[in-house]
Amino acid sequence: MEERRKRIFSGIQPSGELTLGSYMGAIRNWVALQEEYDCLYCIVDEHAITVRQDPAQLRRRCVAQLAQYIACGLDPEKNIMFIQSHVPQHAELAWILGCYTQFGELSRMTQFKAKSQQHADNITAGLFTYPVLMAADILLYQADLVPVGEDQRQHVELTRDIAQRFNGVYSDTFVLPEAFIPKLGARIMSLDDPTAKMSKSVPEGCINLMDPPEVIMRKFKRAVTDCETAVKYDRENKPGISNLLTIYCAATGKTLAEAEAAFAGQGYGVFKPAVGEAVVELFRPIREESERIMGDKAYLESVYKTGAQRAQQLAVRTLGKVQRKIGFVAR
Protein backbone atom coordinates (compact mmCIF):
# COMPACT_ATOMS: atom_id res chain seq x y z
CA MET A 1 0.00 0.00 0.00
CA GLU A 2 1.37 3.39 -1.05
CA GLU A 3 2.22 5.68 1.85
CA ARG A 4 0.25 8.94 2.02
CA ARG A 5 2.29 12.00 1.10
CA LYS A 6 2.68 14.50 3.90
CA ARG A 7 0.12 17.29 3.80
CA ILE A 8 0.96 20.99 4.04
CA PHE A 9 -1.57 23.68 4.93
CA SER A 10 -0.81 27.37 4.52
CA GLY A 11 -3.27 30.19 5.23
CA ILE A 12 -2.51 33.41 3.37
CA GLN A 13 -3.99 36.77 4.38
CA PRO A 14 -5.31 38.85 1.46
CA SER A 15 -3.60 41.89 2.93
CA GLY A 16 -2.32 43.49 -0.28
CA GLU A 17 0.15 43.02 -3.08
CA LEU A 18 2.77 40.28 -2.92
CA THR A 19 6.23 41.73 -2.36
CA LEU A 20 9.73 40.97 -3.54
CA GLY A 21 10.47 39.80 0.01
CA SER A 22 7.56 37.34 0.14
CA TYR A 23 8.33 36.05 -3.37
CA MET A 24 12.03 35.43 -2.81
CA GLY A 25 11.68 34.37 0.83
CA ALA A 26 8.76 31.97 0.49
CA ILE A 27 6.70 31.66 -2.69
CA ARG A 28 9.51 30.37 -4.91
CA ASN A 29 10.04 27.57 -2.38
CA TRP A 30 6.34 26.69 -2.37
CA VAL A 31 6.51 25.93 -6.08
CA ALA A 32 9.06 23.20 -5.31
CA LEU A 33 6.94 21.84 -2.42
CA GLN A 34 4.03 20.95 -4.74
CA GLU A 35 6.13 18.14 -6.25
CA GLU A 36 6.81 16.50 -2.88
CA TYR A 37 3.77 17.25 -0.69
CA ASP A 38 -0.02 17.50 -0.88
CA CYS A 39 -0.49 21.25 -0.40
CA LEU A 40 -3.51 23.36 0.51
CA TYR A 41 -3.23 27.13 0.03
CA CYS A 42 -6.11 29.01 1.60
CA ILE A 43 -6.84 32.73 1.17
CA VAL A 44 -7.92 33.44 4.76
CA ASP A 45 -10.53 36.17 4.33
CA GLU A 46 -12.17 35.29 7.68
CA HIS A 47 -8.88 36.05 9.45
CA ALA A 48 -8.61 39.33 7.54
CA ILE A 49 -11.77 40.78 9.10
CA THR A 50 -10.29 40.79 12.62
CA VAL A 51 -9.38 44.34 11.56
CA ARG A 52 -11.64 46.60 9.50
CA GLN A 53 -11.51 45.98 5.73
CA ASP A 54 -12.90 47.85 2.76
CA PRO A 55 -15.36 45.27 1.30
CA ALA A 56 -14.57 45.95 -2.37
CA GLN A 57 -10.83 45.88 -1.67
CA LEU A 58 -11.10 42.62 0.28
CA ARG A 59 -12.94 40.93 -2.59
CA ARG A 60 -10.43 42.24 -5.14
CA ARG A 61 -7.41 41.23 -3.07
CA CYS A 62 -8.65 37.67 -2.52
CA VAL A 63 -9.00 37.08 -6.24
CA ALA A 64 -5.87 39.07 -7.23
CA GLN A 65 -3.73 37.18 -4.72
CA LEU A 66 -4.97 33.87 -6.08
CA ALA A 67 -4.10 35.01 -9.63
CA GLN A 68 -0.62 36.07 -8.53
CA TYR A 69 0.08 32.74 -6.83
CA ILE A 70 -0.89 30.88 -10.00
CA ALA A 71 1.31 33.24 -12.06
CA CYS A 72 4.21 32.50 -9.71
CA GLY A 73 3.94 28.81 -10.54
CA LEU A 74 1.52 27.28 -8.03
CA ASP A 75 -0.49 24.81 -10.08
CA PRO A 76 -4.24 24.54 -9.20
CA GLU A 77 -4.15 20.94 -10.47
CA LYS A 78 -1.37 19.98 -8.04
CA ASN A 79 -2.50 22.12 -5.08
CA ILE A 80 -5.87 22.75 -3.46
CA MET A 81 -6.31 26.54 -3.69
CA PHE A 82 -9.42 28.10 -2.20
CA ILE A 83 -11.00 30.95 -0.22
CA GLN A 84 -11.57 30.27 3.47
CA SER A 85 -15.14 31.59 3.71
CA HIS A 86 -16.20 29.21 0.90
CA VAL A 87 -15.65 26.24 3.25
CA PRO A 88 -18.02 26.80 6.22
CA GLN A 89 -16.46 23.91 8.17
CA HIS A 90 -13.61 26.28 9.18
CA ALA A 91 -15.97 28.39 11.29
CA GLU A 92 -17.90 25.36 12.59
CA LEU A 93 -14.78 23.60 13.82
CA ALA A 94 -13.43 26.86 15.28
CA TRP A 95 -16.45 27.13 17.60
CA ILE A 96 -16.00 23.56 18.81
CA LEU A 97 -12.25 23.98 19.35
CA GLY A 98 -12.88 27.24 21.19
CA CYS A 99 -14.64 25.14 23.82
CA TYR A 100 -11.41 23.16 24.28
CA THR A 101 -9.12 26.21 24.47
CA GLN A 102 -8.29 27.97 27.73
CA PHE A 103 -8.76 31.73 28.15
CA GLY A 104 -5.26 31.94 29.62
CA GLU A 105 -3.74 30.31 26.53
CA LEU A 106 -5.25 32.93 24.26
CA SER A 107 -4.34 35.84 26.54
CA ARG A 108 -0.67 34.84 26.32
CA MET A 109 -0.50 35.00 22.52
CA THR A 110 2.10 37.58 21.56
CA GLN A 111 0.39 38.50 18.28
CA PHE A 112 -2.81 39.41 20.13
CA LYS A 113 -0.83 41.77 22.35
CA ALA A 114 0.90 43.34 19.34
CA LYS A 115 -2.28 43.73 17.26
CA SER A 116 -4.18 45.11 20.25
CA GLN A 117 -1.64 47.93 20.37
CA GLN A 118 -1.84 48.52 16.61
CA HIS A 119 -5.66 48.55 16.61
CA ALA A 120 -6.40 49.90 20.09
CA ASP A 121 -9.77 51.31 18.98
CA ASN A 122 -10.99 47.94 17.67
CA ILE A 123 -9.96 45.09 20.01
CA THR A 124 -12.60 42.53 19.10
CA ALA A 125 -13.41 39.03 20.33
CA GLY A 126 -12.37 37.86 16.84
CA LEU A 127 -8.89 39.29 17.34
CA PHE A 128 -8.67 37.41 20.64
CA THR A 129 -9.94 34.06 19.30
CA TYR A 130 -8.05 34.33 15.99
CA PRO A 131 -5.63 31.50 17.02
CA VAL A 132 -8.57 29.10 17.49
CA LEU A 133 -9.70 29.70 13.91
CA MET A 134 -6.11 29.15 12.81
CA ALA A 135 -6.07 25.85 14.71
CA ALA A 136 -9.32 24.86 12.98
CA ASP A 137 -7.83 25.74 9.56
CA ILE A 138 -4.91 23.38 10.18
CA LEU A 139 -6.65 20.53 12.01
CA LEU A 140 -9.59 20.42 9.60
CA TYR A 141 -7.27 19.02 6.91
CA GLN A 142 -5.18 16.78 9.17
CA ALA A 143 -2.13 18.77 8.06
CA ASP A 144 1.27 17.32 8.96
CA LEU A 145 3.21 20.52 8.34
CA VAL A 146 2.51 24.24 8.48
CA PRO A 147 5.02 26.63 6.83
CA VAL A 148 5.49 29.53 9.27
CA GLY A 149 7.98 32.16 10.28
CA GLU A 150 9.17 32.48 13.87
CA ASP A 151 6.38 35.00 14.59
CA GLN A 152 3.74 32.31 13.91
CA ARG A 153 5.39 29.35 15.62
CA GLN A 154 3.44 30.03 18.84
CA HIS A 155 0.18 29.51 16.90
CA VAL A 156 1.27 26.07 15.73
CA GLU A 157 2.24 25.14 19.28
CA LEU A 158 -1.21 26.20 20.52
CA THR A 159 -2.80 24.17 17.70
CA ARG A 160 -0.89 21.10 18.89
CA ASP A 161 -1.98 21.73 22.51
CA ILE A 162 -5.64 21.97 21.47
CA ALA A 163 -5.37 18.83 19.32
CA GLN A 164 -3.66 16.85 22.10
CA ARG A 165 -6.31 17.97 24.60
CA PHE A 166 -9.12 16.86 22.28
CA ASN A 167 -7.39 13.59 21.42
CA GLY A 168 -6.84 12.94 25.12
CA VAL A 169 -10.57 13.24 25.85
CA TYR A 170 -12.00 11.52 22.77
CA SER A 171 -9.17 9.29 21.43
CA ASP A 172 -7.05 10.06 18.38
CA THR A 173 -8.95 12.48 16.15
CA PHE A 174 -6.42 15.01 14.87
CA VAL A 175 -2.95 14.70 13.37
CA LEU A 176 -0.52 16.75 15.47
CA PRO A 177 0.94 19.30 13.05
CA GLU A 178 4.50 20.54 13.11
CA ALA A 179 5.86 23.95 12.22
CA PHE A 180 7.66 23.64 8.90
CA ILE A 181 10.52 25.99 8.12
CA PRO A 182 11.21 25.38 4.41
CA LYS A 183 14.64 25.75 2.88
CA LEU A 184 15.47 29.39 3.49
CA GLY A 185 14.89 31.71 0.60
CA ALA A 186 16.69 35.01 0.32
CA ARG A 187 16.13 37.29 3.31
CA ILE A 188 15.16 40.59 1.73
CA MET A 189 15.41 43.83 3.68
CA SER A 190 13.78 47.24 3.13
CA LEU A 191 15.33 49.45 0.45
CA ASP A 192 15.09 52.55 2.65
CA ASP A 193 16.22 50.83 5.88
CA PRO A 194 18.37 47.74 5.17
CA THR A 195 18.35 46.82 8.88
CA ALA A 196 14.57 46.17 8.75
CA LYS A 197 12.65 43.46 6.86
CA MET A 198 10.92 44.57 3.64
CA SER A 199 7.33 45.45 4.56
CA LYS A 200 4.20 46.60 2.74
CA SER A 201 3.73 49.19 5.49
CA VAL A 202 6.75 51.14 4.15
CA PRO A 203 5.91 51.67 0.44
CA GLU A 204 9.16 53.36 -0.60
CA GLY A 205 11.26 50.56 0.88
CA CYS A 206 9.14 47.81 -0.64
CA ILE A 207 8.96 46.34 -4.16
CA ASN A 208 5.57 44.87 -5.06
CA LEU A 209 5.26 42.07 -7.56
CA MET A 210 2.78 44.13 -9.62
CA ASP A 211 4.77 47.40 -9.54
CA PRO A 212 5.33 48.83 -13.06
CA PRO A 213 8.97 48.74 -14.29
CA GLU A 214 9.43 52.49 -13.89
CA VAL A 215 8.37 52.32 -10.23
CA ILE A 216 10.75 49.42 -9.55
CA MET A 217 13.63 51.30 -11.19
CA ARG A 218 12.90 54.50 -9.23
CA LYS A 219 12.84 52.65 -5.90
CA PHE A 220 16.15 50.90 -6.58
CA LYS A 221 17.85 54.11 -7.70
CA ARG A 222 16.79 55.69 -4.38
CA ALA A 223 17.80 52.65 -2.28
CA VAL A 224 19.88 53.48 0.81
CA THR A 225 23.54 52.46 0.46
CA ASP A 226 26.66 54.04 2.06
CA CYS A 227 29.27 56.67 1.33
CA GLU A 228 31.71 54.24 -0.30
CA THR A 229 31.54 53.01 -3.89
CA ALA A 230 32.74 49.38 -3.67
CA VAL A 231 30.12 46.75 -4.57
CA LYS A 232 31.09 44.27 -1.87
CA TYR A 233 29.06 42.06 0.47
CA ASP A 234 29.50 43.06 4.12
CA ARG A 235 26.21 42.73 6.03
CA GLU A 236 27.56 44.41 9.16
CA ASN A 237 29.29 47.44 7.65
CA LYS A 238 27.50 47.76 4.29
CA PRO A 239 23.92 46.54 4.94
CA GLY A 240 22.39 48.47 2.02
CA ILE A 241 24.78 47.16 -0.64
CA SER A 242 24.69 43.68 0.92
CA ASN A 243 20.87 43.68 0.62
CA LEU A 244 21.06 44.79 -3.03
CA LEU A 245 23.63 42.06 -3.76
CA THR A 246 21.32 39.48 -2.15
CA ILE A 247 18.45 40.68 -4.35
CA TYR A 248 20.61 40.73 -7.50
CA CYS A 249 21.87 37.19 -6.90
CA ALA A 250 18.38 35.87 -6.13
CA ALA A 251 17.00 37.51 -9.28
CA THR A 252 19.79 36.41 -11.64
CA GLY A 253 21.01 33.13 -10.13
CA LYS A 254 24.56 34.48 -9.88
CA THR A 255 26.75 33.84 -6.83
CA LEU A 256 27.93 36.71 -4.61
CA ALA A 257 31.48 36.29 -5.95
CA GLU A 258 30.25 36.50 -9.55
CA ALA A 259 28.17 39.60 -8.78
CA GLU A 260 31.02 41.35 -6.99
CA ALA A 261 33.37 40.57 -9.89
CA ALA A 262 30.85 41.82 -12.47
CA PHE A 263 30.61 45.25 -10.81
CA ALA A 264 34.21 45.62 -9.60
CA GLY A 265 35.29 49.26 -9.97
CA GLN A 266 31.94 50.37 -11.43
CA GLY A 267 30.31 52.03 -8.40
CA TYR A 268 26.74 52.32 -7.18
CA GLY A 269 25.56 54.46 -10.11
CA VAL A 270 25.89 51.42 -12.37
CA PHE A 271 25.05 48.74 -9.81
CA LYS A 272 21.71 50.02 -8.45
CA PRO A 273 20.01 50.33 -11.88
CA ALA A 274 21.34 46.87 -12.78
CA VAL A 275 19.63 45.40 -9.71
CA GLY A 276 16.41 47.17 -10.68
CA GLU A 277 16.59 45.80 -14.23
CA ALA A 278 17.18 42.25 -12.93
CA VAL A 279 14.05 42.48 -10.75
CA VAL A 280 12.00 44.04 -13.59
CA GLU A 281 12.91 41.09 -15.84
CA LEU A 282 12.25 38.55 -13.07
CA PHE A 283 8.78 39.96 -12.42
CA ARG A 284 7.81 40.84 -16.01
CA PRO A 285 6.42 37.38 -16.97
CA ILE A 286 4.74 36.98 -13.57
CA ARG A 287 3.10 40.40 -13.78
CA GLU A 288 1.93 39.81 -17.35
CA GLU A 289 0.56 36.37 -16.49
CA SER A 290 -1.21 37.77 -13.39
CA GLU A 291 -2.87 40.43 -15.52
CA ARG A 292 -3.91 37.83 -18.10
CA ILE A 293 -5.40 35.57 -15.40
CA MET A 294 -7.21 38.51 -13.76
CA GLY A 295 -8.82 39.20 -17.15
CA ASP A 296 -10.18 35.64 -17.28
CA LYS A 297 -12.86 35.81 -14.59
CA ALA A 298 -14.40 32.47 -15.59
CA TYR A 299 -11.08 30.66 -15.13
CA LEU A 300 -10.36 32.25 -11.75
CA GLU A 301 -13.85 31.45 -10.55
CA SER A 302 -13.44 27.83 -11.64
CA VAL A 303 -10.14 27.61 -9.72
CA TYR A 304 -11.49 28.85 -6.39
CA LYS A 305 -14.81 26.99 -6.70
CA THR A 306 -13.12 23.70 -7.61
CA GLY A 307 -10.58 24.31 -4.83
CA ALA A 308 -13.37 24.85 -2.30
CA GLN A 309 -15.11 21.64 -3.40
CA ARG A 310 -11.88 19.64 -3.04
CA ALA A 311 -11.17 21.23 0.35
CA GLN A 312 -14.70 20.55 1.54
CA GLN A 313 -14.40 16.85 0.74
CA LEU A 314 -11.56 16.67 3.26
CA ALA A 315 -13.15 19.08 5.74
CA VAL A 316 -16.49 17.29 6.09
CA ARG A 317 -14.73 14.06 7.04
CA THR A 318 -12.87 15.66 9.92
CA LEU A 319 -15.80 17.74 11.12
CA GLY A 320 -18.15 14.74 10.97
CA LYS A 321 -15.75 12.69 13.10
CA VAL A 322 -15.45 15.53 15.63
CA GLN A 323 -19.23 16.03 15.83
CA ARG A 324 -19.85 12.32 16.44
CA LYS A 325 -17.21 12.17 19.18
CA ILE A 326 -18.58 15.13 21.13
CA GLY A 327 -22.17 13.84 20.92
CA PHE A 328 -23.89 15.99 18.26
CA VAL A 329 -26.92 14.35 16.65
CA ALA A 330 -26.15 13.25 13.07
CA ARG A 331 -27.62 15.55 10.40
Side-chain angles (χ1 to χ4, degrees):
M1 183 174 163
E2 191 177 341
E3 189 178 345
R4 174 176 85 84
R5 292 208 301 181
K6 291 204 171 205
R7 186 172 292 159
I8 286 178
F9 176 89
S10 186
I12 305 135
Q13 281 233 31
S15 56
E17 302 289 355
L18 298 179
T19 70
L20 176 67
S22 58
Y23 176 75
M24 290 183 168
I27 299 164
R28 284 210 294 201
N29 287 333
W30 294 354
V31 176
L33 294 179
Q34 67 191 1
E35 305 302 333
E36 194 177 342
Y37 300 92
D38 290 333
C39 302
L40 295 101
Y41 292 108
C42 176
I43 309 292
V44 288
D45 54 344
E46 291 174 343
H47 284 292
I49 64 168
T50 56
V51 297
R52 292 283 177 266
Q53 300 285 341
D54 175 271
Q57 283 279 14
L58 180 61
R59 275 189 288 271
R60 186 194 70 78
R61 284 173 172 172
C62 285
V63 178
Q65 201 146 307
L66 181 63
Q68 289 169 30
Y69 280 118
I70 297 169
C72 286
L74 290 176
D75 186 345
E77 299 294 323
K78 295 179 179 178
N79 306 284
I80 298 178
M81 305 170 74
F82 65 104
I83 297 170
Q84 185 183 27
S85 61
H86 291 184
V87 181
Q89 287 80 9
H90 285 256
E92 286 191 72
L93 183 59
W95 171 256
I96 294 170
L97 295 184
C99 298
Y100 295 84
T101 307
Q102 300 300 308
F103 182 90
E105 290 175 313
L106 294 178
S107 64
R108 288 191 293 272
M109 301 301 287
T110 54
Q111 282 220 328
F112 172 71
K113 295 172 186 174
K115 289 197 174 186
S116 297
Q117 291 173 341
Q118 290 172 10
H119 307 281
D121 58 342
N122 186 40
I123 304 174
T124 64
L127 193 61
F128 187 68
T129 59
Y130 173 105
V132 180
L133 179 56
M134 186 181 284
D137 298 336
I138 297 164
L139 298 176
L140 196 55
Y141 300 105
Q142 307 290 3
D144 301 283
L145 303 165
V146 187
V148 289
E150 279 304 319
D151 60 334
Q152 292 283 346
R153 188 184 286 274
Q154 189 184 26
H155 284 134
V156 180
E157 290 169 356
L158 177 64
T159 299
R160 287 176 60 87
D161 290 343
I162 295 168
Q164 284 179 312
R165 185 174 297 134
F166 193 95
N167 288 354
V169 175
Y170 298 105
S171 77
D172 285 353
T173 306
F174 297 117
V175 169
L176 298 184
E178 295 179 15
F180 179 55
I181 312 297
K183 180 186 67 173
L184 279 177
R187 182 170 166 76
I188 306 302
M189 312 304 279
S190 175
L191 297 185
D192 69 345
D193 179 5
T195 63
K197 195 174 165 187
M198 185 174 282
S199 169
K200 287 176 269 200
S201 62
V202 186
E204 278 308 303
C206 181
I207 301 293
N208 294 315
L209 191 146
M210 299 300 287
D211 278 345
E214 63 273 15
V215 172
I216 293 175
M217 292 302 295
R218 174 175 56 79
K219 288 180 179 179
F220 274 108
K221 285 175 182 176
R222 293 181 179 177
V224 169
T225 51
D226 53 62
C227 59
E228 298 179 10
T229 57
V231 178
K232 191 158 185 63
Y233 189 90
D234 182 348
R235 182 64 81 177
E236 188 173 336
N237 298 309
K238 296 167 71 73
I241 283 298
S242 298
N243 186 42
L244 293 180
L245 275 166
T246 299
I247 293 169
Y248 181 78
C249 292
T252 62
K254 286 182 165 59
T255 65
L256 280 172
E258 288 169 341
E260 288 176 346
F263 293 98
Q266 295 195 53
Y268 300 166
V270 173
F271 177 58
K272 291 205 285 187
V275 182
E277 287 165 10
V279 172
V280 165
E281 291 311 310
L282 176 69
F283 279 176
R284 188 187 303 280
I286 297 172
R287 189 178 65 254
E288 290 173 356
E289 180 65 0
S290 294
E291 289 168 351
R292 186 195 69 76
I293 294 170
M294 280 297 287
D296 191 343
K297 299 286 190 280
Y299 169 71
L300 263 177
E301 189 173 314
S302 74
V303 168
Y304 64 68
K305 285 190 172 180
T306 300
Q309 289 167 358
R310 292 172 67 194
Q312 201 155 24
Q313 287 173 354
L314 299 172
V316 293
R317 278 185 231 155
T318 300
L319 185 64
K321 189 190 298 184
V322 168
Q323 289 171 330
R324 282 194 303 275
K325 289 195 174 187
I326 63 175
F328 283 2
V329 175
R331 297 178 185 179

